[in-house]
Amino acid sequence: MASIIARVKNYLRTPQGQRNMEKAKTMARDPRNQQRIRGLLSRFRGGSTHHR
């Protein structure tokens, strides 16, 4: 059975995988998405104290 990493690599070599990779790169360049990711990461790291 192929490992998960090998399966992902194989998928990324397909045309659909290439399209999804380009879409992800485009979304990653969007400043709004970058801010959302930073917010999520700070929550996971314990940087946010908005919990009650």
Side-chain angles (χ1 to χ4, degrees):
M1 185 165 132
S3 72
I4 292 174
I5 301 297
R7 291 172 66 184
V8 169
K9 285 181 181 180
N10 288 337
Y11 172 72
L12 292 175
R13 290 186 190 115
T14 66
Q16 184 180 6
Q18 291 291 316
R19 283 192 299 271
N20 285 334
M21 179 62 80
E22 287 304 316
K23 185 176 178 182
K25 286 179 183 179
T26 301
M27 290 176 74
R29 286 187 213 110
D30 185 353
R32 288 174 294 180
N33 289 334
Q34 289 176 2
Q35 182 148 5
R36 285 183 198 142
I37 294 296
R38 279 191 217 104
L40 285 172
L41 289 175
S42 70
R43 260 193 256 161
F44 284 121
R45 292 178 182 152
S48 180
T49 58
H50 296 324
H51 307 126
R52 290 189 178 162

